[in-house]
Amino acid sequence: MEYIKRLASPVGELTLASDGESLTGLWIAGQKYHSAGLAPDAAEAQLPVFAAAAEWLGRYFAGESPEPGELPLAPRGSGFRLSVWRRLLEIPRGSVTTYGEIARALDAPARAVGGAVGHNPISIIIPCHRVVGASGSLTGYAGGLDKKIALLKLEGVEMSRFFVPKKGTAL
């Protein structure tokens, strides 16, 4: 059985998903691939993992730096996607990396890395918003560029070196 909980946040309504023990999804309202892989019969529930995630998110949005490892995360994906998502967890708050840097570290095509980043099922906590184009392009955030910019600013990232692309804002 799968469970969901909706939660208000500074970037819009969030939908959290769980298998009953671990967090399996976190999507921002309107996000591309919202609820991807979630069972259609997922039921609203009050679970300890949702309370822990809500507390974690509250701290995050208050400017603190909670560690993703504080939460039981269980994203579902291929072995390659899981390796990309594990890499995302290594990007410190207030820092960014590029698709190319991740691709080189994993010895994988940048396009495949981009697809995995774009399909991250646990937004914000697995920080896909911290990945930018090598040229400084803010492309690639399924939650929308306005949300990506808001999250990076919240984390104190110096934004003057980045730009919004003319097209191609999500993978």
Side-chain angles (χ1 to χ4, degrees), residues 21-41:
E21 298 292 325
S22 299
L23 196 65
T24 58
L26 189 163
W27 302 276
I28 302 168
Q31 179 175 332
K32 193 172 186 179
Y33 314 117
H34 190 287
S35 303
L38 185 64
D41 64 346

Side-chain angles (χ1 to χ4, degrees), residues 112-168:
V113 167
V117 170
H119 285 84
N120 170 22
I122 305 178
S123 294
I124 303 171
I125 296 171
I126 298 179
C128 51
H129 60 278
R130 296 179 187 155
V131 183
V132 300
S135 65
S137 171
L138 292 172
T139 191
Y141 195 59
L145 288 182
D146 59 328
K147 308 293 191 302
K148 182 173 190 156
I149 291 167
L151 293 169
L152 292 174
K153 284 181 176 180
L154 172 73
E155 294 183 8
V157 173
E158 168 52 49
M159 299 299 291
S160 64
R161 62 189 167 135
F162 302 115
F163 67 92
V164 174
K166 295 191 186 322
K167 63 178 187 170

Side-chain angles (χ1 to χ4, degrees), residues 1-3 17-24 45 47-50 72 76:
M1 182 71 183
E2 289 184 294
Y3 305 93
S18 174
D19 57 11
E21 298 292 325
S22 299
L23 196 65
T24 58
L47 299 173
V49 69
F50 290 151
R76 295 181 190 128

